[in-house]
């Protein structure tokens, strides 16, 4: 048996699993903050970490762990049509619900007994528990000629984004939120089976505590409202 400890909680714009980018660096404005918790928030725990530009975060899939796992899953990059073995995918439904993400480290803030890591683009739900941090080592962690099967290229932008008159008015004083909405929804967060539908579909998503309604028709997503 192993005693796995939560060392910190990450804060991101994504209040729910729907809409989270499938990998980091796909949504540049989707940044995060990792707040370490005692006793791991001691300044000595991060001494020297500022000398690294990128980190590996190990975390728990706490939103899907209760759903268990299967031998085979349908990767979204394959359109949800083809099955692959669980260990040939990055599915969240794993025998042990542990995830791994490489993120950029922007800054380390230490004050008032708080240690906060300011991060670049992330692919985690808000308040995901982090169980470890490791420095990213380019000479050993990067293999430019590596083969990556069905995910060898960065996914293309899937949807064209339009804003309704109402949404434009609601976002008039929030240009950064508008840009974040555009970056997230352009990646097409819909489940693969929904993308096959030819009818107009309406969805809701929460970003930065804003409730966003949008519809999709013919690869065009129209943002209907932002509340």
């Amino acid at each position: 048996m192993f005693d796995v400890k939560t060392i910190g909680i990450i804060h991101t714009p994504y209040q729910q699993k729907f809409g989270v980018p499938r990998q980091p660096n796909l949504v540049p404005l989707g940044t995060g903050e990792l707040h370490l918790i005692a006793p791991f928030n001691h300044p000595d725990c991060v001494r020297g970490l500022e000398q690294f530009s990128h980190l590996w975060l190990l975390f728990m899939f706490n939103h899907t762990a209760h759903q268990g796992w299967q031998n085979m899953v349908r990767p979204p990059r394959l359109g949800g049509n083809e099955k692959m073995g669980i260990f040939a995918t990055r599915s969240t439904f794993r025998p042990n619900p542990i995830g791994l993400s490489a993120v950029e480290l922007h800054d380390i803030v230490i004050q008032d007994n708080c240690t906060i890591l300011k991060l670049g683009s992330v692919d985690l739900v808000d308040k995901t528990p982090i169980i470890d941090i490791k420095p990213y080592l380019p000479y050993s962690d990067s293999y430019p000629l590596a083969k990556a099967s069905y995910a060898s290229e960065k996914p293309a932008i899937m949807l064209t984004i339009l804003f309704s008159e109402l949404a434009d008015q609601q976002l008039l004083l929030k240009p950064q939120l508008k840009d974040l909405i555009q970056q997230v929804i352009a990646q097409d967060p819909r489940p693969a089976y929904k993308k096959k539908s030819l009818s107009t579909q309406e969805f809701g998503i929460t970003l930065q505590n804003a409730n966003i309604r949008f519809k999709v028709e013919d690869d065009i997503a129209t943002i209907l409202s932002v509340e």
Side-chain angles (χ1 to χ4, degrees):
M1 296 294 293
F2 295 92
D3 181 17
V4 178
K5 297 179 175 63
T6 297
I7 65 166
I9 301 295
I10 196 165
H11 296 279
T12 79
Y14 311 111
Q15 276 76 48
Q16 56 191 160
K17 184 174 179 290
F18 181 57
V20 176
R22 295 194 173 95
Q23 300 297 334
N25 297 321
L26 295 180
V27 178
L29 289 176
T31 59
E33 288 188 357
L34 173 52
H35 293 233
L36 300 181
I37 60 178
F40 313 106
N41 61 342
H42 193 285
D44 283 351
C45 290
V46 294
R47 188 181 300 274
L49 193 62
E50 73 282 354
Q51 299 177 44
F52 294 89
S53 66
H54 292 74
L55 310 172
W56 288 109
L57 298 181
L58 280 78
F59 59 93
M60 301 300 295
F61 287 116
N62 57 316
H63 288 270
T64 57
H66 65 283
Q67 298 180 45
W69 69 284
Q70 296 180 338
N71 293 340
M72 302 187 74
V73 297
R74 300 177 187 272
R77 287 292 294 271
L78 295 177
N81 299 317
E82 184 178 344
K83 286 188 174 183
M84 301 285 283
I86 181 62
F87 298 129
T89 77
R90 293 194 175 187
S91 168
T92 62
F93 306 101
R94 315 195 69 80
N96 294 302
I98 298 173
L100 178 69
S101 188
V103 300
E104 186 175 5
L105 175 63
H106 287 175
D107 196 11
I108 301 176
V109 178
I110 301 175
Q111 62 182 32
D112 301 327
N113 295 319
C114 294
T115 298
I116 301 172
L117 306 188
K118 303 274 192 174
L119 306 172
S121 177
V122 297
D123 58 344
L124 295 99
V125 180
D126 187 47
K127 299 178 182 175
T128 292
I130 305 299
I131 59 174
D132 202 5
I133 302 167
K134 299 181 187 294
Y136 179 94
L137 305 179
Y139 81 89
S140 65
D141 296 346
S142 176
Y143 295 88
L145 300 180
K147 180 181 176 181
S149 182
Y150 57 87
S152 59
E153 299 291 338
K154 181 178 178 180
I157 297 299
M158 303 292 184
L159 298 176
T160 300
I161 307 299
L162 301 177
F163 288 84
S164 70
E165 184 176 348
L166 173 60
D168 267 332
Q169 292 176 349
Q170 293 171 321
L171 291 165
L172 190 60
L173 300 178
K174 299 180 180 179
Q176 188 168 7
L177 177 58
K178 184 176 182 178
D179 289 343
L180 175 64
I181 292 170
Q182 182 157 344
Q183 289 180 10
V184 170
I185 297 180
Q187 296 292 328
D188 197 351
R190 296 176 298 164
Y193 71 93
K194 288 283 188 180
K195 299 176 185 179
K196 301 173 185 177
S197 175
L198 298 178
S199 61
T200 301
Q201 305 170 71
E202 190 169 325
F203 300 89
I205 190 173
T206 303
L207 292 173
Q208 290 184 346
N209 296 313
N211 294 318
I212 299 142
R213 301 295 303 177
F214 68 97
K215 67 177 181 180
V216 179
E217 184 177 17
D218 296 331
D219 294 331
I220 297 175
T222 301
I223 312 305
L224 302 172
S225 64
V226 181
E227 299 179 353

